[in-house]
């Protein structure tokens, strides 16, 4: 087994779509996108590593993002939920606001119990990691089991009734983002086509989640008035978490180009208005 490397990726993004939409088999082939979480771990059977390289520490509680009621309360959780809904809406070909309200008002299964302690383990900022090396097959199987367990609990969190997981602030913010996304969708398609690389245009069906991140970020910048530096940083973090390859860098460049274009257009309009007032 020495020298062999196996990559495991955490799959809970698609299972978190609580409406149980059927995904085509091809969506499961993109290992670090859409149906899969972006945290992948390469498990290499090799020389025993230093203790510091082993993933044996328990998850760090993220209590700073959970309020006194035990629910997610941060703007980042709202953006993540908006991405989840937008992605599912694209797959279903439905309106994201309609899908959001359907999830929000979905009836609970009789006897359903949700353990809010799971929210303390959930990490909104867990990104792709470097390969982790193990010495034996037993350690490899233990690591695989740990990641499968983590994937299962995260799927439980993301598929739970929204009102049990998110505060009213988060749900309200999510709805505002989705409303802005739905309202200006067609106009943003033109803007997005101006800033994305040609290969993304050619591979649009496989870039759904990247394009959803762009839609959400642009909608928040133009409709919510959030500082573009904050929105871009959040969009890049979402790309690090849910996308693959060069997506974070490309999304960063696309959004900066978009902000620059918007600024130039606004400045040109101001000059035109000033000139009109002067001539009048």
């Amino acid at each position: 087994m020495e020298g062999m490397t196996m990559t495991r990726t955490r799959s809970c993004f698609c299972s978190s779509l609580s409406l149980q939409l059927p995904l085509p088999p091809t969506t499961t082939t993109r290992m670090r996108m859409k149906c899969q979480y972006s945290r992948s771990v390469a498990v290499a059977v090799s020389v025993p590593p230093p203790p510091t390289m082993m993933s044996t520490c328990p998850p760090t509680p993220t209590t700073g993002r959970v309020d006194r009621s035990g629910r997610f309360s941060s703007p980042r959780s709202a953006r993540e939920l908006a991405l989840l809904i937008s992605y599912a809406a694209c797959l279903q070909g439905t309106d994201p606001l309609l899908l959001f309200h359907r999830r929000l008002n979905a009836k609970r299964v009789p006897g359903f119990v949700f353990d809010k302690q799971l929210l303390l383990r959930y990490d909104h900022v867990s990104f792709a990691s470097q390969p982790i090396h193990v010495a034996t097959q037993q350690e490899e199987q233990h690591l695989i089991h740990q990641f499968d367990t983590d994937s299962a609990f995260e799927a439980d969190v993301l598929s739970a009734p929204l009102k049990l997981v998110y505060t009213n602030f988060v749900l309200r913010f999510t709805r505002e983002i989705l409303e802005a996304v739905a309202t200006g969708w067609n106009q943003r398609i033109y803007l997005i086509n101006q800033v994305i690389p040609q290969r993304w245009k050619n591979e649009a069906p496989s870039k759904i989640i990247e394009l959803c991140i762009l839609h959400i970020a642009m909608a928040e910048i133009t409709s919510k008035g959030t500082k573009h530096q904050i929105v871009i940083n959040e969009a890049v973090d979402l790309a690090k978490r849910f996308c693959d390859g060069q997506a974070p860098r490309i999304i960063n460049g696309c959004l900066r180009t978009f902000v620059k274009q918007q600024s130039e257009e606004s400045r040109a309009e101001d000059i035109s208005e000033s000139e009109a007032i002067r001539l009048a």
Side-chain angles (χ1 to χ4, degrees):
M1 292 293 294
E2 183 173 356
M4 292 184 64
T5 302
M6 181 175 66
T7 300
R8 293 284 299 179
T9 308
R10 317 232 349 239
S11 58
C12 49
F13 193 52
C14 71
S15 57
S16 70
L17 304 179
S18 61
L19 296 177
Q20 303 301 323
L21 61 151
L23 297 182
T26 53
T27 60
T28 63
T29 60
R30 295 202 62 201
M31 290 302 294
R32 295 179 59 194
M33 205 192 93
K34 294 193 289 196
C35 299
Q36 307 287 341
Y37 259 108
S38 62
R39 278 172 283 178
S40 64
V41 177
V43 183
V45 179
S46 59
V47 179
T52 55
M53 293 186 66
M54 298 300 294
S55 180
T56 56
C57 298
T60 302
T62 56
T63 53
R65 299 178 182 87
V66 177
D67 75 349
R68 293 182 180 179
S69 69
R71 295 174 294 172
F72 291 145
S73 58
S74 69
R76 173 162 292 189
S77 62
R79 295 181 180 101
E80 181 181 288
L81 178 58
L83 176 60
L84 184 76
I85 298 294
S86 296
Y87 173 67
C90 285
L91 291 182
Q92 289 189 338
T94 190
D95 182 274
L97 269 177
L98 177 64
L99 194 58
F100 172 71
H101 286 292
R102 198 180 299 167
R103 278 205 58 181
L104 188 63
N105 300 317
K107 294 182 179 180
R108 300 182 192 176
V109 177
F112 175 80
V113 177
F114 178 68
D115 182 7
K116 286 190 176 181
Q117 291 299 312
L118 295 177
L119 304 185
L120 300 178
R121 295 179 56 197
Y122 190 87
D123 189 359
H124 292 288
V125 292
S126 182
F127 305 140
S129 61
Q130 294 298 317
I132 297 175
H133 300 279
V134 297
T136 65
Q137 281 187 306
Q138 289 76 15
E139 290 178 350
E140 174 187 332
Q141 292 302 317
H142 174 75
L143 192 61
I144 290 172
H145 175 73
Q146 181 62 52
F147 274 86
D148 287 343
T149 301
D150 290 346
S151 293
F153 101 76
E154 289 186 346
D156 287 341
V157 169
L158 294 176
S159 62
L162 298 184
K163 293 178 182 178
L164 296 181
V165 178
Y166 304 96
T167 62
N168 289 334
F169 161 76
V170 170
L171 295 176
R172 184 172 61 252
F173 189 27
T174 301
R175 189 192 186 286
E176 291 172 355
I177 292 175
L178 291 174
E179 186 173 16
V181 167
T183 301
W185 185 273
N186 291 333
Q187 295 91 325
R188 278 191 307 278
I189 289 177
Y190 171 75
L191 296 174
I192 288 174
N193 281 334
Q194 288 184 317
V195 297
I196 61 174
Q198 183 61 45
R199 66 178 181 275
W200 280 26
K201 298 177 185 178
N202 297 337
E203 303 171 6
S206 66
K207 297 297 181 184
I208 295 176
I209 201 165
E210 288 93 334
L211 297 176
C212 283
I213 291 174
L214 289 174
H215 273 285
I216 289 170
M218 290 180 177
E220 185 174 354
I221 290 172
T222 56
S223 300
K224 294 292 296 175
T226 309
K227 291 183 178 179
H228 70 266
Q229 295 92 338
I230 295 175
V231 177
I232 292 175
N233 181 67
E234 292 288 293
V236 169
D237 282 351
L238 283 173
K240 289 178 181 178
R241 183 160 168 74
F242 295 119
C243 303
D244 60 356
Q246 298 298 314
R249 181 182 60 80
I250 294 174
I251 285 175
N252 178 69
C254 290
L255 291 176
R256 292 190 180 280
T257 300
F258 168 73
V259 169
K260 182 180 178 181
Q261 290 177 349
Q262 293 292 105
S263 178
E264 291 174 351
E265 289 177 6
S266 177
R267 186 161 50 249
E269 289 177 0
D270 291 341
I271 293 174
S272 298
E273 290 179 1
S274 298
E275 186 66 18
I277 292 173
R278 186 182 67 81
L279 293 176

